[in-house]
Amino acid sequence: GESVGLHLPTLSVQEGDNSIINCAYSNSASDYFIWYKQESGKGPQFIIDIRSNMDKRQGQRVTVLLNKTVKHLSLQIAATQPGDSAVYFCAPITGGGNKLTFGTGTQLKVEL
Amino acid sequence: DTEVTQTPKHLVMGMTNKKSLKCEQHMGHRAMYWYKQKAKKPPELMFVYSYEKLSINESVPSRFSPECPNSSLLNLHLHALQPEDSALYLCASSQDRGRFEQYFGPGTRLTVT
């Protein structure tokens, strides 16, 4: 979710499986959502975005689903690879917002 | 070139030292950012520069002083820091201030002793 916690939620998946990373947001006025990936020792990297007038958007091996009713979005990674191991952050943006505010983050670990 | 570079990669400084972090991008981006990231936490915005002018200061203590000498460079001057300022300092850039697809550098790992 968006709140900052002391511990980073962790998702462990087997290589080749699909991964689903969840993000809950609190502001119903949020109308644009971004996912970033941060690998160990690197800065965050933009993955995919979605606007609130959509409920699904697909990229290369990634799909983002948005459920505005329950204020939830998810990032699905198909055929997870070792290179997908990283911390994934969602960032809900409110209309007219002028800054990027990252959610807590989820650590994805890919087991061989 | 879609790279944002940051120097140094690591920095150890005492509480009485003065040091500077440097960031450079050659993508023609007109917005540049400083973020602070503590271990196992998300990056937190510190400053935003738009067209070389300070646009946002997230109530950052004055011991952190940003500077944007030109459209490609962003500095963060450090003076009289505290041990709790130890963190990863990330620089980012975007095409302009309203764009949220930001390109991040690898960061400077700062330790204040």
Side-chain angles (χ1 to χ4, degrees), chain B residues 18-109:
Chain B
K18 285 185 181 181
K19 297 287 185 183
S20 296
L21 309 185
K22 297 186 182 299
C23 173
E24 190 166 5
Q25 58 88 13
H26 294 287
M27 293 177 277
H29 288 172
R30 304 316 301 259
M32 295 186 76
Y33 310 81
W34 281 114
Y35 289 84
K36 174 182 178 180
Q37 186 175 27
K38 301 284 268 185
K40 299 193 185 299
K41 295 284 185 71
E44 294 180 341
L45 183 67
M46 299 174 71
F47 302 104
V48 179
Y49 271 82
S50 178
Y51 288 85
E52 300 161 49
K53 294 192 187 312
L54 184 64
S55 173
I56 295 177
N57 176 343
E58 289 287 295
S59 302
V60 178
S62 59
R63 58 186 183 268
F64 295 90
S65 176
E67 178 197 19
C68 190
N70 61 54
S71 61
S72 299
L73 295 173
L74 186 66
N75 298 323
L76 186 63
H77 303 297
L78 314 172
H79 174 54
L81 295 193
Q82 304 297 310
E84 59 265 29
D85 296 321
S86 298
L88 181 68
Y89 288 84
L90 293 160
C91 174
S93 70
S94 65
Q95 197 166 11
D96 57 52
R97 202 187 80 173
R99 302 291 184 100
F100 296 102
E101 182 176 352
Q102 297 179 8
Y103 292 77
F104 283 80
T108 294
R109 177 73 60 187

Side-chain angles (χ1 to χ4, degrees), chain A residues 5 7 10 20 31 40 51-52 68 76-77 83 88 93 95 98:
Chain A
H7 302 286
T10 299
I20 301 176
D31 58 2
S40 180
R51 297 201 174 275
S52 59
K68 295 182 290 294
Q76 300 180 1
I77 304 173
Y88 290 80
I93 309 291
N98 60 2

Side-chain angles (χ1 to χ4, degrees), chain A residues 64-80:
Chain A
V64 57
L65 299 178
L66 174 62
N67 185 330
K68 295 182 290 294
T69 303
V70 296
K71 297 199 284 287
H72 180 272
L73 68 159
S74 65
L75 179 71
Q76 300 180 1
I77 304 173
T80 311

Side-chain angles (χ1 to χ4, degrees), chain A residues 8-21 77 80-81 84-86 88 106-112:
Chain A
L8 201 58
T10 299
L11 174 67
S12 293
V13 299
Q14 293 289 323
E15 182 181 6
D17 287 352
N18 296 336
S19 303
I20 301 176
I21 299 168
I77 304 173
T80 311
Q81 302 169 0
D84 296 324
S85 293
Y88 290 80
T106 297
Q107 172 87 58
L108 176 65
K109 294 186 176 180
V110 181
E111 298 171 349
L112 303 178

Side-chain angles (χ1 to χ4, degrees), chain A residues 33-89:
Chain A
F33 306 85
I34 307 173
W35 282 96
Y36 273 83
K37 167 188 181 183
Q38 185 173 22
E39 296 177 63
S40 180
K42 297 185 178 180
Q45 177 185 10
F46 175 93
I47 303 174
I48 192 168
D49 58 359
I50 188 169
R51 297 201 174 275
S52 59
N53 61 352
M54 304 170 71
D55 52 20
K56 180 179 180 179
R57 189 165 189 216
Q58 287 185 286
Q60 190 175 19
R61 267 199 320 116
V62 295
T63 301
V64 57
L65 299 178
L66 174 62
N67 185 330
K68 295 182 290 294
T69 303
V70 296
K71 297 199 284 287
H72 180 272
L73 68 159
S74 65
L75 179 71
Q76 300 180 1
I77 304 173
T80 311
Q81 302 169 0
D84 296 324
S85 293
V87 178
Y88 290 80
F89 295 103

